[in-house]
Structures are given as C-alpha cells and as structure tokens.
mmCIF file of all heavy atoms in Angstrom:
data_model
loop_
_atom_site.group_PDB
_atom_site.id
_atom_site.type_symbol
_atom_site.label_atom_id
_atom_site.label_comp_id
_atom_site.label_asym_id
_atom_site.label_seq_id
_atom_site.Cartn_x
_atom_site.Cartn_y
_atom_site.Cartn_z
ATOM 1 N N MET A 1 148.146 107.973 108.244
ATOM 2 C CA MET A 1 147.400 108.471 107.126
ATOM 3 C C MET A 1 146.072 107.722 107.036
ATOM 4 O O MET A 1 145.038 108.338 106.798
ATOM 5 C CB MET A 1 148.226 108.290 105.857
ATOM 6 C CG MET A 1 147.615 108.849 104.602
ATOM 7 S SD MET A 1 146.352 107.862 103.740
ATOM 8 C CE MET A 1 147.160 106.368 103.396
ATOM 9 N N ALA A 2 146.102 106.431 107.223
ATOM 10 C CA ALA A 2 144.871 105.631 107.155
ATOM 11 C C ALA A 2 143.847 106.154 108.171
ATOM 12 O O ALA A 2 142.684 106.329 107.848
ATOM 13 C CB ALA A 2 145.167 104.171 107.384
ATOM 14 N N ASP A 3 144.301 106.410 109.389
ATOM 15 C CA ASP A 3 143.395 106.936 110.414
ATOM 16 C C ASP A 3 142.824 108.287 110.015
ATOM 17 O O ASP A 3 141.630 108.514 110.156
ATOM 18 C CB ASP A 3 144.113 107.078 111.762
ATOM 19 C CG ASP A 3 144.345 105.741 112.450
ATOM 20 O OD1 ASP A 3 143.629 104.773 112.131
ATOM 21 O OD2 ASP A 3 145.230 105.701 113.313
ATOM 22 N N ARG A 4 143.672 109.173 109.510
ATOM 23 C CA ARG A 4 143.201 110.496 109.083
ATOM 24 C C ARG A 4 142.188 110.380 107.928
ATOM 25 O O ARG A 4 141.296 111.213 107.823
ATOM 26 C CB ARG A 4 144.374 111.373 108.654
ATOM 27 C CG ARG A 4 145.220 111.846 109.827
ATOM 28 C CD ARG A 4 146.209 112.939 109.428
ATOM 29 N NE ARG A 4 146.992 112.584 108.277
ATOM 30 C CZ ARG A 4 148.257 112.171 108.296
ATOM 31 N NH1 ARG A 4 148.885 112.063 109.467
ATOM 32 N NH2 ARG A 4 148.897 111.901 107.204
ATOM 33 N N ALA A 5 142.344 109.374 107.083
ATOM 34 C CA ALA A 5 141.440 109.179 105.954
ATOM 35 C C ALA A 5 140.198 108.408 106.362
ATOM 36 O O ALA A 5 139.263 108.264 105.561
ATOM 37 C CB ALA A 5 142.161 108.478 104.829
ATOM 38 N N GLY A 6 140.185 107.861 107.587
ATOM 39 C CA GLY A 6 139.052 107.076 108.018
ATOM 40 C C GLY A 6 139.029 105.681 107.384
ATOM 41 O O GLY A 6 137.968 105.098 107.203
ATOM 42 N N LEU A 7 140.215 105.158 107.079
ATOM 43 C CA LEU A 7 140.329 103.855 106.451
ATOM 44 C C LEU A 7 141.153 102.924 107.308
ATOM 45 O O LEU A 7 141.964 103.372 108.113
ATOM 46 C CB LEU A 7 141.018 104.014 105.070
ATOM 47 C CG LEU A 7 140.376 104.976 104.104
ATOM 48 C CD1 LEU A 7 141.278 105.230 102.913
ATOM 49 C CD2 LEU A 7 139.029 104.450 103.648
ATOM 50 N N SER A 8 140.995 101.630 107.123
ATOM 51 C CA SER A 8 141.816 100.710 107.857
ATOM 52 C C SER A 8 143.209 100.601 107.227
ATOM 53 O O SER A 8 143.361 100.781 106.004
ATOM 54 C CB SER A 8 141.174 99.303 107.893
ATOM 55 O OG SER A 8 141.277 98.667 106.623
ATOM 56 N N THR A 9 144.185 100.331 108.051
ATOM 57 C CA THR A 9 145.538 100.187 107.530
ATOM 58 C C THR A 9 145.634 98.985 106.593
ATOM 59 O O THR A 9 146.375 99.011 105.609
ATOM 60 C CB THR A 9 146.577 100.041 108.648
ATOM 61 O OG1 THR A 9 146.176 98.964 109.506
ATOM 62 C CG2 THR A 9 146.668 101.326 109.462
ATOM 63 N N ARG A 10 144.857 97.964 106.849
ATOM 64 C CA ARG A 10 144.839 96.777 105.993
ATOM 65 C C ARG A 10 144.344 97.136 104.588
ATOM 66 O O ARG A 10 144.890 96.691 103.592
ATOM 67 C CB ARG A 10 143.940 95.720 106.606
ATOM 68 C CG ARG A 10 143.971 94.396 105.907
ATOM 69 C CD ARG A 10 143.147 93.386 106.687
ATOM 70 N NE ARG A 10 143.860 92.962 107.871
ATOM 71 C CZ ARG A 10 144.345 91.757 108.035
ATOM 72 N NH1 ARG A 10 144.174 90.850 107.102
ATOM 73 N NH2 ARG A 10 145.004 91.463 109.125
ATOM 74 N N TYR A 11 143.283 97.970 104.532
ATOM 75 C CA TYR A 11 142.733 98.375 103.231
ATOM 76 C C TYR A 11 143.723 99.259 102.482
ATOM 77 O O TYR A 11 143.937 99.064 101.281
ATOM 78 C CB TYR A 11 141.394 99.102 103.429
ATOM 79 C CG TYR A 11 140.711 99.499 102.152
ATOM 80 C CD1 TYR A 11 140.346 98.552 101.211
ATOM 81 C CD2 TYR A 11 140.437 100.826 101.880
ATOM 82 C CE1 TYR A 11 139.739 98.905 100.025
ATOM 83 C CE2 TYR A 11 139.808 101.208 100.689
ATOM 84 C CZ TYR A 11 139.462 100.237 99.779
ATOM 85 O OH TYR A 11 138.855 100.597 98.613
ATOM 86 N N VAL A 12 144.342 100.195 103.170
ATOM 87 C CA VAL A 12 145.331 101.067 102.522
ATOM 88 C C VAL A 12 146.480 100.220 101.990
ATOM 89 O O VAL A 12 146.976 100.446 100.888
ATOM 90 C CB VAL A 12 145.820 102.165 103.485
ATOM 91 C CG1 VAL A 12 146.975 102.934 102.889
ATOM 92 C CG2 VAL A 12 144.667 103.119 103.808
ATOM 93 N N GLY A 13 146.913 99.238 102.753
ATOM 94 C CA GLY A 13 147.985 98.329 102.311
ATOM 95 C C GLY A 13 147.586 97.592 101.043
ATOM 96 O O GLY A 13 148.397 97.410 100.131
ATOM 97 N N ALA A 14 146.335 97.168 100.989
ATOM 98 C CA ALA A 14 145.848 96.451 99.802
ATOM 99 C C ALA A 14 145.870 97.378 98.585
ATOM 100 O O ALA A 14 146.184 96.947 97.462
ATOM 101 C CB ALA A 14 144.448 95.905 100.053
ATOM 102 N N ILE A 15 145.542 98.639 98.784
ATOM 103 C CA ILE A 15 145.595 99.611 97.693
ATOM 104 C C ILE A 15 147.044 99.799 97.235
ATOM 105 O O ILE A 15 147.333 99.770 96.039
ATOM 106 C CB ILE A 15 144.991 100.978 98.115
ATOM 107 C CG1 ILE A 15 143.490 100.835 98.377
ATOM 108 C CG2 ILE A 15 145.254 102.045 97.046
ATOM 109 C CD1 ILE A 15 142.870 102.045 99.076
ATOM 110 N N GLU A 16 147.948 99.935 98.199
ATOM 111 C CA GLU A 16 149.370 100.123 97.896
ATOM 112 C C GLU A 16 149.937 98.943 97.101
ATOM 113 O O GLU A 16 150.773 99.123 96.199
ATOM 114 C CB GLU A 16 150.180 100.327 99.150
ATOM 115 C CG GLU A 16 149.895 101.641 99.857
ATOM 116 C CD GLU A 16 150.576 101.753 101.205
ATOM 117 O OE1 GLU A 16 150.889 100.719 101.828
ATOM 118 O OE2 GLU A 16 150.785 102.903 101.630
ATOM 119 N N ARG A 17 149.501 97.743 97.413
ATOM 120 C CA ARG A 17 149.995 96.554 96.732
ATOM 121 C C ARG A 17 149.222 96.277 95.443
ATOM 122 O O ARG A 17 149.520 95.301 94.733
ATOM 123 C CB ARG A 17 149.861 95.318 97.649
ATOM 124 C CG ARG A 17 150.798 95.331 98.828
ATOM 125 C CD ARG A 17 150.741 94.012 99.596
ATOM 126 N NE ARG A 17 149.381 93.667 100.053
ATOM 127 C CZ ARG A 17 148.778 94.131 101.133
ATOM 128 N NH1 ARG A 17 149.418 95.008 101.896
ATOM 129 N NH2 ARG A 17 147.563 93.748 101.452
ATOM 130 N N ALA A 18 148.232 97.077 95.142
ATOM 131 C CA ALA A 18 147.372 96.915 93.969
ATOM 132 C C ALA A 18 146.570 95.614 94.034
ATOM 133 O O ALA A 18 146.216 95.032 93.021
ATOM 134 C CB ALA A 18 148.186 96.991 92.677
ATOM 135 N N ASP A 19 146.259 95.189 95.260
ATOM 136 C CA ASP A 19 145.374 94.033 95.452
ATOM 137 C C ASP A 19 143.926 94.436 95.224
ATOM 138 O O ASP A 19 143.103 93.589 94.856
ATOM 139 C CB ASP A 19 145.508 93.451 96.852
ATOM 140 C CG ASP A 19 146.852 92.794 97.105
ATOM 141 O OD1 ASP A 19 147.541 92.443 96.122
ATOM 142 O OD2 ASP A 19 147.226 92.630 98.277
ATOM 143 N N VAL A 20 143.601 95.702 95.470
ATOM 144 C CA VAL A 20 142.268 96.272 95.238
ATOM 145 C C VAL A 20 142.440 97.622 94.568
ATOM 146 O O VAL A 20 143.485 98.229 94.625
ATOM 147 C CB VAL A 20 141.461 96.449 96.558
ATOM 148 C CG1 VAL A 20 141.238 95.127 97.238
ATOM 149 C CG2 VAL A 20 142.144 97.410 97.478
ATOM 150 N N SER A 21 141.393 98.044 93.889
ATOM 151 C CA SER A 21 141.375 99.372 93.274
ATOM 152 C C SER A 21 140.609 100.326 94.168
ATOM 153 O O SER A 21 139.570 99.962 94.708
ATOM 154 C CB SER A 21 140.699 99.314 91.899
ATOM 155 O OG SER A 21 141.435 98.500 91.036
ATOM 156 N N ALA A 22 141.113 101.520 94.298
ATOM 157 C CA ALA A 22 140.450 102.526 95.116
ATOM 158 C C ALA A 22 139.450 103.303 94.277
ATOM 159 O O ALA A 22 139.739 103.652 93.134
ATOM 160 C CB ALA A 22 141.469 103.495 95.700
ATOM 161 N N SER A 23 138.293 103.553 94.841
ATOM 162 C CA SER A 23 137.280 104.361 94.151
ATOM 163 C C SER A 23 137.704 105.830 94.187
ATOM 164 O O SER A 23 138.606 106.217 94.925
ATOM 165 C CB SER A 23 135.915 104.201 94.841
ATOM 166 O OG SER A 23 135.961 104.793 96.131
ATOM 167 N N VAL A 24 137.009 106.628 93.420
ATOM 168 C CA VAL A 24 137.273 108.079 93.411
ATOM 169 C C VAL A 24 137.058 108.639 94.811
ATOM 170 O O VAL A 24 137.819 109.488 95.274
ATOM 171 C CB VAL A 24 136.387 108.775 92.370
ATOM 172 C CG1 VAL A 24 136.481 110.280 92.472
ATOM 173 C CG2 VAL A 24 136.741 108.300 90.953
ATOM 174 N N THR A 25 136.040 108.163 95.489
ATOM 175 C CA THR A 25 135.772 108.639 96.844
ATOM 176 C C THR A 25 136.923 108.334 97.786
ATOM 177 O O THR A 25 137.354 109.177 98.564
ATOM 178 C CB THR A 25 134.455 107.991 97.387
ATOM 179 O OG1 THR A 25 133.401 108.296 96.500
ATOM 180 C CG2 THR A 25 134.132 108.468 98.788
ATOM 181 N N ILE A 26 137.430 107.120 97.711
ATOM 182 C CA ILE A 26 138.558 106.715 98.555
ATOM 183 C C ILE A 26 139.799 107.514 98.206
ATOM 184 O O ILE A 26 140.535 107.971 99.096
ATOM 185 C CB ILE A 26 138.831 105.200 98.449
ATOM 186 C CG1 ILE A 26 137.636 104.408 98.949
ATOM 187 C CG2 ILE A 26 140.109 104.806 99.180
ATOM 188 C CD1 ILE A 26 137.258 104.629 100.403
ATOM 189 N N LEU A 27 140.054 107.715 96.923
ATOM 190 C CA LEU A 27 141.200 108.545 96.511
ATOM 191 C C LEU A 27 141.083 109.938 97.069
ATOM 192 O O LEU A 27 142.066 110.553 97.497
ATOM 193 C CB LEU A 27 141.344 108.596 94.998
ATOM 194 C CG LEU A 27 141.818 107.308 94.317
ATOM 195 C CD1 LEU A 27 141.801 107.454 92.811
ATOM 196 C CD2 LEU A 27 143.198 106.929 94.815
ATOM 197 N N GLY A 28 139.872 110.472 97.098
ATOM 198 C CA GLY A 28 139.648 111.789 97.676
ATOM 199 C C GLY A 28 139.969 111.836 99.165
ATOM 200 O O GLY A 28 140.586 112.786 99.649
ATOM 201 N N LYS A 29 139.580 110.798 99.880
ATOM 202 C CA LYS A 29 139.855 110.731 101.331
ATOM 203 C C LYS A 29 141.375 110.634 101.558
ATOM 204 O O LYS A 29 141.901 111.277 102.479
ATOM 205 C CB LYS A 29 139.181 109.509 101.933
ATOM 206 C CG LYS A 29 137.697 109.657 102.047
ATOM 207 C CD LYS A 29 137.090 108.431 102.688
ATOM 208 C CE LYS A 29 135.586 108.575 102.858
ATOM 209 N NZ LYS A 29 135.006 107.492 103.682
ATOM 210 N N ILE A 30 142.050 109.832 100.757
ATOM 211 C CA ILE A 30 143.515 109.704 100.905
ATOM 212 C C ILE A 30 144.203 111.018 100.569
ATOM 213 O O ILE A 30 145.104 111.437 101.302
ATOM 214 C CB ILE A 30 144.041 108.547 100.011
ATOM 215 C CG1 ILE A 30 143.505 107.215 100.548
ATOM 216 C CG2 ILE A 30 145.559 108.546 99.953
ATOM 217 C CD1 ILE A 30 143.777 106.023 99.652
ATOM 218 N N ALA A 31 143.786 111.662 99.501
ATOM 219 C CA ALA A 31 144.388 112.936 99.130
ATOM 220 C C ALA A 31 144.199 113.965 100.234
ATOM 221 O O ALA A 31 145.134 114.705 100.570
ATOM 222 C CB ALA A 31 143.780 113.441 97.802
ATOM 223 N N GLU A 32 143.010 114.015 100.792
ATOM 224 C CA GLU A 32 142.753 114.963 101.886
ATOM 225 C C GLU A 32 143.634 114.662 103.084
ATOM 226 O O GLU A 32 144.200 115.572 103.711
ATOM 227 C CB GLU A 32 141.285 114.922 102.275
ATOM 228 C CG GLU A 32 140.889 115.990 103.277
ATOM 229 C CD GLU A 32 139.405 116.025 103.545
ATOM 230 O OE1 GLU A 32 138.619 115.744 102.622
ATOM 231 O OE2 GLU A 32 139.042 116.342 104.680
ATOM 232 N N ALA A 33 143.780 113.398 103.423
ATOM 233 C CA ALA A 33 144.622 113.002 104.568
ATOM 234 C C ALA A 33 146.082 113.363 104.326
ATOM 235 O O ALA A 33 146.799 113.700 105.275
ATOM 236 C CB ALA A 33 144.490 111.504 104.816
ATOM 237 N N LEU A 34 146.528 113.319 103.069
ATOM 238 C CA LEU A 34 147.912 113.657 102.733
ATOM 239 C C LEU A 34 148.105 115.128 102.411
ATOM 240 O O LEU A 34 149.214 115.565 102.143
ATOM 241 C CB LEU A 34 148.362 112.805 101.528
ATOM 242 C CG LEU A 34 148.447 111.300 101.762
ATOM 243 C CD1 LEU A 34 148.744 110.576 100.470
ATOM 244 C CD2 LEU A 34 149.489 111.000 102.823
ATOM 245 N N ASP A 35 146.989 115.881 102.378
ATOM 246 C CA ASP A 35 147.017 117.304 102.038
ATOM 247 C C ASP A 35 147.608 117.549 100.656
ATOM 248 O O ASP A 35 148.494 118.387 100.474
ATOM 249 C CB ASP A 35 147.771 118.095 103.115
ATOM 250 C CG ASP A 35 147.496 119.592 103.021
ATOM 251 O OD1 ASP A 35 146.399 119.972 102.555
ATOM 252 O OD2 ASP A 35 148.359 120.387 103.417
ATOM 253 N N VAL A 36 147.142 116.768 99.683
ATOM 254 C CA VAL A 36 147.536 116.927 98.287
ATOM 255 C C VAL A 36 146.284 116.945 97.431
ATOM 256 O O VAL A 36 145.206 116.514 97.857
ATOM 257 C CB VAL A 36 148.484 115.816 97.795
ATOM 258 C CG1 VAL A 36 149.791 115.809 98.597
ATOM 259 C CG2 VAL A 36 147.831 114.456 97.825
ATOM 260 N N GLU A 37 146.421 117.428 96.198
ATOM 261 C CA GLU A 37 145.320 117.351 95.246
ATOM 262 C C GLU A 37 145.119 115.908 94.803
ATOM 263 O O GLU A 37 146.118 115.181 94.641
ATOM 264 C CB GLU A 37 145.603 118.223 94.036
ATOM 265 C CG GLU A 37 145.633 119.715 94.321
ATOM 266 C CD GLU A 37 144.266 120.244 94.752
ATOM 267 O OE1 GLU A 37 143.252 119.799 94.171
ATOM 268 O OE2 GLU A 37 144.211 121.060 95.671
ATOM 269 N N PRO A 38 143.891 115.464 94.601
ATOM 270 C CA PRO A 38 143.656 114.081 94.195
ATOM 271 C C PRO A 38 144.431 113.679 92.931
ATOM 272 O O PRO A 38 144.906 112.544 92.828
ATOM 273 C CB PRO A 38 142.145 114.015 93.972
ATOM 274 C CG PRO A 38 141.604 115.079 94.849
ATOM 275 C CD PRO A 38 142.640 116.180 94.856
ATOM 276 N N GLY A 39 144.580 114.583 92.004
ATOM 277 C CA GLY A 39 145.326 114.286 90.776
ATOM 278 C C GLY A 39 146.757 113.889 91.015
ATOM 279 O O GLY A 39 147.336 113.129 90.243
ATOM 280 N N ALA A 40 147.329 114.367 92.129
ATOM 281 C CA ALA A 40 148.707 114.014 92.457
ATOM 282 C C ALA A 40 148.860 112.523 92.726
ATOM 283 O O ALA A 40 149.929 111.973 92.543
ATOM 284 C CB ALA A 40 149.199 114.834 93.644
ATOM 285 N N LEU A 41 147.779 111.900 93.159
ATOM 286 C CA LEU A 41 147.833 110.464 93.422
ATOM 287 C C LEU A 41 147.764 109.634 92.147
ATOM 288 O O LEU A 41 148.043 108.434 92.181
ATOM 289 C CB LEU A 41 146.660 110.060 94.332
ATOM 290 C CG LEU A 41 146.604 110.765 95.699
ATOM 291 C CD1 LEU A 41 145.357 110.329 96.430
ATOM 292 C CD2 LEU A 41 147.843 110.450 96.498
ATOM 293 N N LEU A 42 147.398 110.271 91.048
ATOM 294 C CA LEU A 42 147.225 109.529 89.800
ATOM 295 C C LEU A 42 148.355 109.720 88.826
ATOM 296 O O LEU A 42 148.353 109.123 87.739
ATOM 297 C CB LEU A 42 145.922 109.971 89.126
ATOM 298 C CG LEU A 42 144.651 109.785 89.977
ATOM 299 C CD1 LEU A 42 143.459 110.373 89.281
ATOM 300 C CD2 LEU A 42 144.437 108.317 90.324
ATOM 301 N N LYS A 43 149.328 110.504 89.204
ATOM 302 C CA LYS A 43 150.467 110.729 88.286
ATOM 303 C C LYS A 43 151.312 109.478 88.180
ATOM 304 O O LYS A 43 151.538 108.774 89.152
ATOM 305 C CB LYS A 43 151.333 111.893 88.791
ATOM 306 C CG LYS A 43 150.645 113.217 88.665
ATOM 307 C CD LYS A 43 151.547 114.338 89.089
ATOM 308 C CE LYS A 43 150.809 115.659 88.942
ATOM 309 N NZ LYS A 43 151.606 116.759 89.403
ATOM 310 N N ALA A 44 151.802 109.217 86.976
ATOM 311 C CA ALA A 44 152.647 108.054 86.745
ATOM 312 C C ALA A 44 153.980 108.232 87.443
ATOM 313 O O ALA A 44 154.533 109.325 87.505
ATOM 314 C CB ALA A 44 152.862 107.846 85.240
ATOM 315 N N VAL A 45 154.504 107.151 87.969
ATOM 316 C CA VAL A 45 155.792 107.137 88.612
ATOM 317 C C VAL A 45 156.789 106.553 87.621
ATOM 318 O O VAL A 45 156.591 105.484 87.094
ATOM 319 C CB VAL A 45 155.770 106.305 89.901
ATOM 320 C CG1 VAL A 45 157.152 106.222 90.522
ATOM 321 C CG2 VAL A 45 154.747 106.832 90.866
ATOM 322 N N PRO A 46 157.885 107.287 87.340
ATOM 323 C CA PRO A 46 158.874 106.776 86.383
ATOM 324 C C PRO A 46 159.473 105.475 86.902
ATOM 325 O O PRO A 46 159.695 105.318 88.112
ATOM 326 C CB PRO A 46 159.938 107.851 86.312
ATOM 327 C CG PRO A 46 159.474 108.978 87.164
ATOM 328 C CD PRO A 46 158.259 108.593 87.887
ATOM 329 N N THR A 47 159.688 104.563 86.006
ATOM 330 C CA THR A 47 160.345 103.306 86.376
ATOM 331 C C THR A 47 161.737 103.253 85.784
ATOM 332 O O THR A 47 162.018 103.888 84.767
ATOM 333 C CB THR A 47 159.522 102.087 85.873
ATOM 334 O OG1 THR A 47 159.395 102.192 84.460
ATOM 335 C CG2 THR A 47 158.133 102.068 86.503
ATOM 336 N N SER A 48 162.582 102.492 86.413
ATOM 337 C CA SER A 48 163.955 102.401 85.906
ATOM 338 C C SER A 48 163.954 101.417 84.714
ATOM 339 O O SER A 48 163.174 100.481 84.660
ATOM 340 C CB SER A 48 164.885 101.903 86.993
ATOM 341 O OG SER A 48 164.450 100.666 87.480
ATOM 342 N N PRO A 49 164.850 101.652 83.750
ATOM 343 C CA PRO A 49 164.920 100.761 82.582
ATOM 344 C C PRO A 49 165.354 99.358 83.023
ATOM 345 O O PRO A 49 166.103 99.206 83.980
ATOM 346 C CB PRO A 49 165.960 101.390 81.700
ATOM 347 C CG PRO A 49 166.563 102.524 82.440
ATOM 348 C CD PRO A 49 165.791 102.728 83.703
ATOM 349 N N ARG A 50 164.878 98.382 82.334
ATOM 350 C CA ARG A 50 165.207 96.986 82.675
ATOM 351 C C ARG A 50 166.425 96.513 82.001
ATOM 352 O O ARG A 50 166.939 96.742 81.099
ATOM 353 C CB ARG A 50 164.051 96.070 82.292
ATOM 354 C CG ARG A 50 162.874 96.393 83.169
ATOM 355 C CD ARG A 50 161.726 95.499 82.842
ATOM 356 N NE ARG A 50 160.589 95.934 83.653
ATOM 357 C CZ ARG A 50 159.578 95.201 83.886
ATOM 358 N NH1 ARG A 50 159.492 94.007 83.409
ATOM 359 N NH2 ARG A 50 158.594 95.645 84.610
#
C-alpha cells in the first residue's frame, strides 16, 4: 500500500502508530491506494469496554 501511495513504509508505520499526523493530501493518497473514499479512513473504530 505504501508503494502504491508513493509513501515510505516507515512513514506509513509512523502514521499507524500515531507518531505523526497525516495531512489531508497524504490521507487522499492512502485512500486512493486502498481504493476507498477518504472519509472511510476517518471513521471512529469502536473500542472494547475496559
């Protein structure tokens, strides 16, 4: 996915770990690489109760 988005795997990993924030442009590249709408990347993920 990182290659398809034109991003380094290290940078994508940092986004996944929330070490860095992705810009709207980067989110657009990731969404295109995953063939999803950009809004799908911003949906909240349910968490299990503690």
Side-chain angles (χ1 to χ4, degrees):
M1 184 279 302
D3 285 339
R4 288 192 309 258
L7 304 169
S8 73
T9 54
R10 187 175 286 249
Y11 183 59
V12 172
I15 293 168
E16 291 173 336
R17 291 187 304 278
D19 291 340
V20 298
S21 296
S23 68
V24 172
T25 302
I26 297 299
L27 288 175
K29 289 181 178 189
I30 293 171
E32 187 174 327
L34 295 173
D35 196 27
V36 299
E37 292 294 320
L41 301 176
L42 302 175
K43 291 183 179 176
V45 177
T47 59
S48 58
R50 293 181 184 199

